[in-house]
Amino acid sequence: MNKTKLILFLAFAAFTAVTFIHPVYPHEQFLQHAGTILLLIPLFADLVKDRMPMSAFVGILLFAVLHVIGARYIYSYVPYKEWGVSLGIVDASFFQDPRNHYDRFVHFCFGVFLFPYIRYACKRWLNLKALPAIFMSWLIIQTGSMVYELFEWLLTIVMSPEQADNYNGQQGDIWDAQKDMVLAMMGSTLLAVYYFVKDMFQREE
């Protein structure tokens, strides 16, 4: 068992437990954590087998941290603006747009942080070479992003408008799904280019 991975996993578990103290939106928070469970499955499995590259393990963990924060406040109300001002990083006039963009940031990170794991899975389970693995990972990110947006759309059918908006974080933007998918594509494209260049240099060496 990799001790570094174990420490990171336990720190994440403790962080997640803290977010349940005095929950702000308890019903929505528990619903959001269905996604957290999915993220924990490969992490927990790797604690036993220790086959995943550290970059893939940390990528899933970082994305899970962002999701846990979003689950506590439900994405539309994560107070990142207040945190930035209180920490002295920016002043109050810095944020001109009234919209909360935390959900957009997480969709971008979906493409960035999960790419290393998906690339690893493509190489290990599909036996793909470097370049096909990069391309397949890029396609999987786009497909996953689209499937999630379809899932959110289905929620709008079975839930009340208020509950659906709280979960989806649409905030009145009719193009929210399309913008989220574009951001995921941008993040995955950034990583695809990185791995492509990295693999080219390794082949030259």
Side-chain angles (χ1 to χ4, degrees):
M1 181 177 290
N2 188 305
K3 291 184 178 180
T4 302
K5 289 181 178 179
L6 179 60
I7 292 171
L8 290 173
F9 185 86
L10 292 176
F12 169 74
F15 174 76
T16 302
V18 169
T19 65
F20 278 96
I21 299 175
H22 303 303
V24 185
Y25 304 96
H27 178 266
E28 289 81 0
Q29 184 175 9
F30 278 99
L31 181 62
Q32 291 277 3
H33 278 297
T36 309
I37 294 172
L38 292 177
L39 292 169
L40 290 179
I41 292 174
L43 292 178
F44 187 76
D46 190 62
L47 286 177
V48 179
K49 299 180 179 179
D50 190 25
R51 294 174 178 171
M52 193 186 304
M54 186 62 76
S55 60
F57 189 91
V58 172
I60 297 176
L61 207 60
L62 288 174
F63 184 75
V65 167
L66 294 176
H67 178 66
V68 165
I69 295 172
R72 173 170 175 80
Y73 295 99
I74 60 174
Y75 282 83
S76 298
Y77 303 106
V78 174
Y80 67 90
K81 297 179 181 179
E82 291 81 354
W83 294 340
V85 173
S86 63
L87 292 173
I89 300 174
V90 295
D91 56 38
S93 62
F94 180 80
F95 298 104
Q96 300 294 327
D97 190 346
R99 190 189 194 280
N100 190 301
H101 289 283
Y102 185 80
D103 65 318
R104 299 270 166 82
F105 172 69
V106 174
H107 278 280
F108 175 79
C109 290
F110 173 76
V112 174
F113 289 151
L114 295 190
F115 197 97
Y117 171 72
I118 296 174
R119 174 176 172 269
Y120 154 77
C122 287
K123 295 178 75 173
R124 177 171 178 79
W125 303 111
L126 300 180
N127 295 318
L128 296 178
K129 299 297 183 181
L131 186 58
I134 292 172
F135 183 59
M136 181 61 72
S137 301
W138 187 85
L139 292 177
I140 290 173
I141 290 288
Q142 314 326 315
T143 303
S145 180
M146 179 194 68
V147 169
Y148 181 76
E149 294 301 330
L150 288 173
F151 168 72
E152 286 192 340
W153 170 71
L154 289 173
L155 285 182
T156 64
I157 298 176
V158 300
M159 300 173 72
S160 70
E162 182 180 0
Q163 288 177 320
D165 187 64
N166 284 340
Y167 182 88
N168 294 344
Q170 190 169 345
Q171 301 180 59
D173 187 351
I174 62 173
W175 300 106
D176 181 68
Q178 289 83 353
K179 292 175 182 178
D180 290 345
M181 288 188 288
V182 167
L183 285 166
M185 182 173 66
M186 290 172 61
S188 61
T189 301
L190 182 66
L191 264 288
V193 171
Y194 165 76
Y195 278 112
F196 177 74
V197 173
K198 179 182 177 183
D199 290 341
M200 282 187 59
F201 277 110
Q202 287 180 341
R203 282 198 296 270
E204 289 177 0
E205 292 175 357

